[in-house]
Amino acid sequence: MNNANVVKHIVNWLNSYSINSKTNGFVVGISGGIDSAVTSTLCSKTGLKTICLEMPIFQSNKEIQRSKNHISWLKSNYRNAQSKHIDLTKSFSEIKKTISDDGNIKNNLALANTRSRLRMLTLYYYASINNCLVAGTGNKVEDFGVGFYTKYGDGGVDISPIADLMKSEIKSIATEMGIINEIIMAKPTDGLWDDTRTDEDQIGANYDELEWAMNEFFKGKKESDFAGRENEVFKILTKFNSTNKHKMIPIPICEIPLSLKN
């Protein structure tokens, strides 16, 4: 992959999309991870307004510091980059207090996903008042392989500039653009839990393994084609893909026959 040309292509695409939609630029949620760092840098490269939102909810100090370090680097390199820090911890705590009746709060996935949806509300608020687009930070493995995102949370965006890039490709263009190394080397995490669990902890496979399995899956391969760890990883990919298919397809519409309308 020609990293420089890929970066140029995405930046041109972002620029054209914003101009054609008559918007002023982009709003990006910054997590301290590589996907949001790459997305915000690509948006900043357009020269259009790029608003980076830090939205911690019981976030670890390491994640918060990485977010701040990236934003500091971004603003030092791109004059159009802006940032806002909105601590959503109190808002989330009030939601949890109001709606949660599950005693096992620590492992309540529905409640964890509420964090992502609260961030989505915040992103769209700032996008609306600034006439900007919400730029998604999902990569190809997350968006089309395992569906590892929250429906109407981090999956609720206007545009997806890096959704056709595998994680390994995102790392390559991150290096190309000079993104700080601590971001590139950080273990991926969705930031939806109070503990330090990573994406790999939740999925059961790392992104290199998932990329391999996703490529084989879309070639039409089956579980029986593999043995050992490859078989295990392939099963993980297909299980997540099947379970989360509802996120990856359009909302089902009940079409009414014309005979019933006449």
Side-chain angles (χ1 to χ4, degrees):
M1 185 175 81
N2 188 312
N3 294 325
N5 285 344
V6 169
V7 168
K8 184 177 179 180
H9 176 82
I10 297 173
V11 171
N12 289 340
W13 180 84
L14 284 165
N15 224 319
S16 296
Y17 198 99
S18 181
I19 290 169
N20 291 336
S21 62
K22 295 180 172 57
T23 51
N24 297 328
F26 314 95
V27 175
V28 187
I30 305 299
S31 66
I34 190 171
D35 293 340
S36 66
V38 165
T39 300
S40 57
T41 305
L42 290 165
C43 289
S44 296
K45 279 181 171 291
T46 64
L48 300 172
K49 179 186 287 188
T50 300
I51 304 171
C52 300
L53 298 187
E54 295 177 85
M55 299 173 287
I57 302 175
F58 294 110
Q59 230 65 32
S60 74
N61 289 332
K62 285 185 178 180
E63 289 172 339
I64 291 173
Q65 191 57 54
R66 282 202 308 269
S67 296
K68 291 186 180 302
N69 291 345
H70 170 67
I71 289 173
S72 177
W73 172 85
L74 198 65
K75 291 166 77 172
S76 69
N77 284 278
Y78 302 95
R79 295 178 63 182
N80 55 308
Q82 307 173 15
S83 67
K84 289 185 178 294
H85 182 96
I86 302 102
D87 194 329
L88 296 174
T89 300
K90 288 184 179 179
S91 298
F92 174 73
S93 295
E94 286 301 314
I95 292 174
K96 183 167 74 170
K97 189 188 305 180
T98 303
I99 68 172
S100 181
D101 59 358
D102 186 343
N104 190 14
I105 295 294
K106 186 174 182 180
N107 293 304
N108 186 336
L109 180 59
L111 191 60
N113 282 330
T114 300
R115 299 189 189 204
S116 185
R117 294 180 177 123
L118 182 56
R119 290 176 178 135
M120 181 273 292
L121 293 174
T122 307
L123 286 166
Y124 270 97
Y125 172 79
Y126 282 97
S128 180
I129 64 175
N130 288 281
N131 187 34
C132 287
L133 297 161
V134 175
T137 61
N139 61 64
K140 193 169 187 175
V141 178
E142 292 171 334
D143 285 5
F144 303 109
V146 291
F148 193 68
Y149 59 90
T150 300
K151 197 173 187 177
Y152 307 120
D154 50 332
V157 299
D158 293 318
I159 53 174
S160 295
I162 63 169
D164 196 34
L165 293 173
M166 295 290 200
K167 198 76 165 185
S168 59
E169 294 171 325
I170 289 170
K171 287 183 178 180
S172 291
I173 66 170
T175 301
E176 171 72 26
M177 295 189 294
I179 288 173
I180 55 180
N181 195 55
E182 67 172 328
I183 296 286
I184 296 173
M185 299 305 296
K187 290 185 177 181
T189 176
D190 59 12
L192 299 184
W193 305 92
D194 292 344
D195 54 31
T196 58
R197 71 186 76 178
T198 64
D199 291 357
E200 183 176 352
D201 292 332
Q202 296 183 67
I203 297 171
N206 62 45
Y207 278 96
D208 287 339
E209 291 177 317
L210 292 171
E211 284 186 28
W212 165 82
M214 185 175 170
N215 286 328
E216 296 302 314
F217 177 68
F218 286 109
K219 287 177 186 175
K221 295 292 184 68
K222 299 178 181 179
E223 292 177 12
S224 57
D225 293 322
F226 308 103
R229 177 59 179 169
E230 287 187 345
N231 177 269
E232 183 181 350
V233 172
F234 194 86
K235 284 181 179 178
I236 290 171
L237 185 284
T238 54
K239 180 181 178 181
F240 270 91
N241 185 272
S242 175
T243 301
N244 293 326
K245 185 67 74 178
H246 66 97
K247 302 179 187 179
M248 307 178 211
I249 60 175
I251 298 170
I253 297 172
C254 178
E255 297 184 6
I256 311 301
L258 287 176
S259 61
L260 295 181
K261 291 186 175 182
N262 296 331

